[in-house]
Amino acid sequence: MADRALKYWLILPAFLVIAATLLYPLVAALWYSVHDWNISQQATLGPFVGVENYTRVLTDDPDFLHSARVTLTFTGFSVVLTLVFAMLLALLLAGSDRTRVYVRTLMVLPFAMSPALLGISWRFLLNPEFGAFSAIVGFVFPWLKGVPLLADPTFAMVALIASDVWHWTPYFMLMFIGALAALPQETVEAAQVDGASRLRVFFEIMLPQLRPVLAIAVLLKAIFSLKVLDQVVTLTSGGPGTATETLAHFVFQLAFRWYDLGYAAAVAYLLAAVMAVLAAMYSRYVMESRA
């Protein structure tokens, strides 16, 4: 009997940590989302309003719709570009020779950087006065030297996407290298013996076998992109204007600039619901791939 109870005692500390850091904030945020509570007006929880905050988000908030469009644009480009570059690098660097191992090790460094530091680094890189990017581009195209590129809405979004792709590509490169190593080499070698080109081998032999891994990678990267915040704050601050204001940054602004905690919690819960669906799909794919 004591042995049966021991396993529950062993997992109890982990459960308490999860309850304190995940379950309690989720329940508290849900409770706040059904109240009208702006802490700049009152320190205690405001009146109960039911689903009014959710109704306002979905039917009467153009700022939310704009942030949703920005988030979809950012997520779409980030997912596609990250996985394309990661696959190209995986094909190039797959193998166990020393040079490729060293190159892979160096390429992991961007992923080791924190997102906040990543945004600050790219902001310095794109600084019009002393940034390396401005100096290089200004040398090739003199009329662009000293131009504040982050003041342009389109380029600010391009810079945000580029920084995110640069950050996550090494992670998915390693995932794809592992997947490529697990492929049965007999089919690849048979196609090569039959005279198939490298492109044909990849698209007709290798890519179909990589579909489960690609599906997992798409879901994972979509989740990572939907919740991006740190580099938005440190690189563009959601600007210029609201050109790069993602939903996570929109929630951040509502809660910590305008102090509207009830409404911010409602927006956050809608975003969390989308990520929960993606996370459930990811879990399903993982379980099916192990079966």
Side-chain angles (χ1 to χ4, degrees):
M1 195 70 178
D3 291 338
R4 291 183 179 181
L6 178 61
K7 59 185 178 182
Y8 297 109
W9 284 107
L10 291 175
I11 66 172
L12 181 61
F15 177 78
L16 293 176
V17 170
I18 293 174
T21 60
L22 178 63
L23 298 180
Y24 172 74
L26 282 174
V27 173
L30 180 62
W31 184 242
Y32 297 157
S33 70
V34 293
H35 289 78
D36 181 15
W37 186 24
N38 191 312
I39 60 174
S40 66
Q41 300 173 1
Q42 60 186 70
T44 57
L45 190 64
F48 180 82
V49 294
V51 296
E52 184 178 318
N53 285 327
Y54 292 96
T55 304
R56 176 185 164 196
V57 171
L58 297 174
T59 62
D60 192 30
D61 191 350
D63 293 333
F64 169 79
L65 295 178
H66 170 75
S67 296
R69 286 192 295 268
V70 170
T71 303
L72 289 175
T73 301
F74 172 80
T75 300
F77 280 103
S78 179
V79 169
V80 172
L81 292 175
T82 298
L83 299 188
V84 168
F85 284 124
M87 182 61 74
L88 291 174
L89 289 171
L91 292 170
L92 184 64
L93 298 176
S96 57
D97 58 277
R98 185 174 298 179
T99 301
R100 293 182 180 181
V101 172
Y102 286 157
V103 173
R104 290 202 299 262
T105 302
L106 289 174
M107 292 200 64
V108 172
L109 293 177
F111 179 67
M113 297 176 63
S114 70
L117 179 59
L118 178 72
I120 294 173
S121 300
W122 275 72
R123 193 176 185 91
F124 274 104
L125 182 70
L126 297 170
N127 188 283
E129 297 178 2
F130 49 80
F133 184 86
S134 179
I136 295 171
V137 172
F139 179 78
V140 180
F141 306 104
W143 61 88
L144 290 177
K145 187 174 180 61
V147 175
L149 297 174
L150 289 178
D152 179 76
T154 301
F155 188 86
M157 176 59 76
V158 170
L160 187 61
I161 293 171
S163 67
D164 192 67
V165 170
W166 184 74
H167 178 64
W168 284 105
T169 294
Y171 174 85
F172 289 99
M173 176 195 71
L174 295 177
M175 177 187 291
F176 292 152
I177 287 176
L180 289 171
L183 292 180
Q185 295 302 307
E186 295 81 5
T187 55
V188 176
E189 293 171 357
Q192 292 172 343
V193 169
D194 290 340
S197 65
R198 291 185 177 182
L199 283 177
R200 190 172 181 183
V201 169
F202 174 72
F203 284 105
E204 296 185 14
I205 304 297
M206 300 171 69
L207 195 59
Q209 299 180 75
L210 291 172
R211 282 178 183 171
V213 177
L214 286 172
I216 291 173
V218 169
L219 291 172
L220 267 181
K221 186 63 186 75
I223 293 171
F224 295 151
S225 298
L226 285 172
K227 67 184 184 67
V228 66
L229 174 63
D230 303 52
Q231 64 220 59
V232 178
V233 173
T234 55
L235 178 57
T236 65
S237 298
T242 57
T244 58
E245 185 169 70
T246 60
L247 281 173
H249 189 264
F250 181 55
V251 173
F252 175 81
Q253 292 283 86
L254 286 172
F256 300 107
R257 183 178 181 183
W258 307 115
Y259 305 112
D260 193 349
L261 294 188
Y263 190 59
V267 178
Y269 243 89
L270 291 175
L271 178 59
V274 174
M275 289 191 289
V277 172
L278 293 176
M281 294 172 63
Y282 167 75
S283 299
R284 177 185 174 186
Y285 274 111
V286 170
M287 295 301 294
E288 288 179 352
S289 64
R290 290 181 177 178

